[in-house]
Amino acid sequence: MTEIAKITRPSADLIARVQAVGAASASATLAHMGIRNCHITGPVSYNKGKSIAGPALTLQFMPKREDLYGEGEYASVEKQLHRHVLYQVEKGDVVVVDARGDITAGVFGDMMMTYFQGRGGAGMVVDGAIRDFVNVQKLDVPLWLTGVTPNFHTQTGLMPFAVNVPIACGGVTVIPGDIIVADDDGAVCVPVALAEKMIEQATQHHDWEDFSRMKLMQGAPLQMYYPLHDDARPEYEEWRKSNPIKHG
């Protein structure tokens, strides 16, 4: 088996600030920065109310080819690459799986999920399915999935193929070590090199949103307050004097 690459993990502070931005604002801000496709489409929250951010560990599945991956789940367990991505997990990591959107094969079950939780993983984004969902729910692991299935991972037409390589997950290129931010809006991939700029721009946008939200609730014109029109900025600046920005 080819040696698995290690990822470079961003600082905990950077990850926390990405998480504070949230998936929707991160996606919108990255779009304005020229990254048009960062929302991992397909997987949705199966554990409502969870918000995570962390570096991506990646797992790639391919259509099964029997000469490369024979039958017999336990014939040689260490050849099962879906185990090896979990061996890499450190506290706060997010496992991101390209399972080709296939919901007939369960990438992980409750035993693997128990191990993932024990390693301190933050959550998983799977463009595909997991199994043993009744038991997995009890673990309360934050999950973004395309579906669930009773089948195990190679029972049907998939085989785990590579760990910590660039993958296409839900139509998005995910590089190992990218920051994944996910909440009830979905999962978004934030390129590490753009994270600081994204946070800065998203924060500037957010700073006037509280003011605009208040004005819109009062029935003020949408044209004036969302987005904040230049004519409304003096009013916003005056309001801000008695409502200082609170970051972090």
Side-chain angles (χ1 to χ4, degrees):
M1 184 173 57
T2 304
E3 184 176 352
I4 293 170
K6 304 296 183 182
I7 70 169
T8 299
R9 292 172 172 83
S11 71
D13 173 71
L14 181 61
I15 291 170
R17 288 186 288 128
V18 169
Q19 183 175 356
V21 169
S25 291
S27 177
T29 304
L30 286 170
H32 289 301
M33 292 168 58
I35 307 299
R36 305 293 297 180
N37 188 33
C38 59
H39 169 223
I40 299 175
T41 305
V44 297
S45 175
Y46 268 66
N47 199 346
K48 296 295 185 182
K50 300 294 186 182
S51 170
I52 66 167
L57 298 171
T58 65
L59 172 62
Q60 180 191 47
F61 276 76
M62 296 285 276
K64 189 197 289 188
R65 216 178 84 179
E66 284 74 11
D67 63 318
L68 298 176
Y69 198 97
E71 297 296 334
E73 185 183 13
Y74 297 105
S76 180
V77 295
E78 290 307 312
K79 291 183 179 179
Q80 299 173 6
L81 286 176
H82 71 306
R83 301 171 66 96
H84 285 266
V85 71
L86 299 184
Y87 296 162
Q88 310 299 313
V89 172
E90 296 183 8
K91 183 176 176 60
D93 288 347
V94 179
V95 168
V96 184
V97 183
D98 168 21
R100 304 176 60 82
D102 190 326
I103 60 171
T104 68
V107 172
F108 299 111
D110 65 328
M111 297 301 287
M112 297 291 191
M113 285 290 187
T114 299
Y115 178 73
F116 174 75
Q117 187 179 58
R119 297 280 295 184
M124 288 191 184
V125 179
V126 181
D127 188 18
I130 66 166
R131 66 194 295 261
D132 301 326
F133 190 62
V134 171
N135 290 333
V136 170
Q137 281 183 301
K138 298 173 184 176
L139 297 172
D140 202 31
V141 173
L143 296 171
W144 286 261
L145 312 171
T146 305
V148 296
T149 180
N151 298 333
F152 58 78
H153 72 291
T154 57
Q155 185 174 341
T156 55
L158 293 181
M159 63 179 182
F161 190 76
V163 173
N164 282 353
V165 298
I167 61 173
C169 186
V172 174
T173 297
V174 179
I175 306 298
D178 279 344
I179 301 175
I180 304 298
V181 56
D183 51 35
D184 286 349
D185 281 325
V188 169
C189 179
V190 179
V192 174
L194 300 179
E196 287 284 4
K197 184 177 180 181
M198 184 278 292
I199 293 166
E200 178 184 358
Q201 293 193 14
T203 300
Q204 290 172 358
H205 180 85
H206 177 76
D207 287 346
W208 54 258
E209 278 196 342
D210 288 343
F211 169 74
S212 292
R213 189 176 290 109
M214 177 192 71
K215 297 298 292 186
L216 295 175
M217 185 61 73
Q218 295 170 355
L222 185 64
Q223 301 94 319
M224 181 67 72
Y225 293 101
Y226 191 77
L228 188 68
H229 195 278
D230 286 344
D231 291 346
R233 187 158 290 276
E235 182 186 3
Y236 161 68
E237 298 292 350
E238 188 63 31
W239 175 84
R240 179 56 75 196
K241 291 177 182 178
S242 56
N243 296 272
I245 299 170
K246 297 178 180 179
H247 294 314

